[in-house]
Amino acid sequence: MTDRLTTLRKTIENVLPNVEGVLALRIGPGGITAPHLFSKEHSEELDKLALWPKEPVPDTLKIILRAHPDAKLAIVCRGCEERGIVEMFKHSQLNLDNLTLIGLQCEQDEAEFCRCAKPFTVHSKLTVGEPIEGVPDPLTAKIEAMSQPEKQAFWKQEFEHCIKCYGCRNICPQCFCNICALEDETWVETGRLPMPNPSMYHMVRAMHMTAKCVACRECEETCPADIPMAVHFRLIARDVREMFNYEPGASMDQKPPQLLVLEEGEYERSGLPH
Amino acid sequence: MIDYKNVLTTCPYCGTGCALHLQVLDEKLVGVLPAKNHVVSEGGLCIKGWNVHAFVNHPDRLTTPLIRKNGKLEEATWDEALTLIADKFGEVKTASGPDSVAILTSAKCTNEENYLLQKFARAVIGTNNVDHCARL
């Protein structure tokens, strides 16, 4: 049996001749990994192909596609990243016709690190590794079991550590509004730390992640204050599942609930805030 | 051909030494990505680090020294600027003594640059008035 890295490399080598580039992870200087666009012209760079740590590749894809909307690319994506790409497609952020998905199945330790319920891809035609079952999320379960006052006290304390770096928003593959409510003085006062009302920033973000968060945990990972914010996104996702029977990224054609109001007209990215 | 690169560097804003990737698309700086497996920052950045790419090509960025002439700042060469600074330091030192000068260095500089500045203060000017912005 070959390992995932070898199989992934072979898969990428097969795909490379048919695309302009394959977005995957590469080990850079000092052993630091980063997303990289592998090309057929420099296929020797695949010697530095990496699997872990997980990086926000859909976000990098978004940056490339904004400058090259018609580029024919492939992307190596884990379950969460695939869900992110599907949601970006549903919100008119990318064209799936030009995109080849290479699904990378997570292993047990990776799934446990992310407390992931769905560490596998479902849409990618090319896959690498064997899919495994989801793992429990003990942190979310613990917070869910708290009483209302306990929850309030817990989040108040967590949010007070926020240094308002905007990292959670910057790294999120689902944050693509041209004008961001978190930069609006009405909601989030600029130029003051600690924030006078830190819950406002986080609750605005939580509301905006409704039916969008794909549970990739990039926000938690980049947070310098270690705020476990994926927990409230997951609890909101549970509510959305119960109320609208909708799971972000799960199906290609089920319309996200927040777009249903626009059903009568064609939804297109207008360049204006929505 | 699409040219996308991540350039690993150290955040220039303070002395902590967080690592970040500058995202370069078609030779234009487009964004910042934190470096997850870096020992110092472990994938985190503050708001300044997240916006490092913004100042590099900003139109307000100074690209030459400026010398105030007749109340107005005018572009100058480094030679002109350094000569003027040396002359003024010399004048102040002669008139009021070396302790009338203070040197403020920066956490944005390297250790070596900070070493040189304290050396300059003590050996050239002759004062122990050396401090740096990280004390703020």
Side-chain angles (χ1 to χ4, degrees), chain B residues 33-101:
Chain B
L33 197 63
K36 273 196 184 174
N37 47 350
H38 189 269
V39 287
V40 174
S41 43
E42 296 175 343
L45 290 173
C46 75
I47 192 162
K48 296 206 286 185
W50 270 108
N51 291 284
V52 156
H53 63 293
F55 79 80
V56 179
N57 297 311
H58 197 282
D60 288 351
R61 186 174 177 179
L62 295 181
T63 51
T64 65
L66 301 176
I67 293 176
R68 196 180 300 278
K69 288 174 185 164
N70 304 319
K72 215 176 131 218
L73 287 169
E74 288 178 21
E75 289 191 358
T77 64
W78 281 104
D79 276 349
E80 284 173 310
L82 291 171
T83 307
L84 179 70
I85 292 166
D87 289 350
K88 294 276 183 189
F89 266 142
E91 277 173 31
V92 170
K93 192 179 153 181
T94 312
S96 316
D99 279 338
S100 59
V101 177

Side-chain angles (χ1 to χ4, degrees), chain A residues 142-143 146 148-163 194-195 197-200 202-203 223-229 232:
Chain A
K142 185 182 130 195
I143 294 166
M146 287 178 181
Q148 192 63 28
E150 278 173 337
K151 274 183 198 157
Q152 262 174 352
F154 174 83
W155 287 116
K156 189 168 180 281
Q157 196 184 13
E158 289 294 333
F159 293 157
E160 273 169 6
H161 299 152
C162 177
I163 62 164
M195 279 187 270
N197 186 3
S199 309
M200 188 57 99
H202 290 277
M203 287 299 112
C223 181
D226 292 330
I227 301 170
M229 59 195 96
H232 56 237

Side-chain angles (χ1 to χ4, degrees), chain A residues 126-257:
Chain A
L126 299 167
T127 59
V128 173
E130 290 303 316
I132 55 159
E133 301 252 321
V135 299
D137 180 352
L139 185 62
T140 302
K142 185 182 130 195
I143 294 166
E144 199 180 355
M146 287 178 181
S147 69
Q148 192 63 28
E150 278 173 337
K151 274 183 198 157
Q152 262 174 352
F154 174 83
W155 287 116
K156 189 168 180 281
Q157 196 184 13
E158 289 294 333
F159 293 157
E160 273 169 6
H161 299 152
C162 177
I163 62 164
K164 210 168 70 164
C165 67
Y166 283 79
C168 50
R169 178 206 63 175
N170 294 347
I171 212 155
C172 179
Q174 301 311 318
C175 275
F176 38 67
C177 297
N178 290 340
I179 297 172
C180 178
L182 298 174
E183 290 175 18
D184 184 338
E185 289 271 356
T186 317
W187 308 111
V188 181
E189 195 178 341
T190 55
R192 269 181 72 186
L193 264 182
M195 279 187 270
N197 186 3
S199 309
M200 188 57 99
Y201 176 98
H202 290 277
M203 287 299 112
V204 167
R205 223 181 95 69
M207 290 303 123
H208 287 203
M209 283 297 107
T210 306
K212 274 173 103 186
C213 175
V214 293
C216 67
R217 259 188 90 261
E218 290 293 346
C219 49
E220 266 187 21
E221 276 199 72
T222 199
C223 181
D226 292 330
I227 301 170
M229 59 195 96
V231 169
H232 56 237
F233 302 153
R234 284 175 187 192
L235 292 174
I236 292 171
R238 179 203 60 188
D239 294 348
V240 169
R241 200 164 51 236
E242 288 170 7
M243 290 158 76
F244 299 99
N245 192 27
Y246 186 79
E247 286 187 47
S251 119
M252 276 292 183
D253 27 56
Q254 192 187 358
K255 225 171 195 182

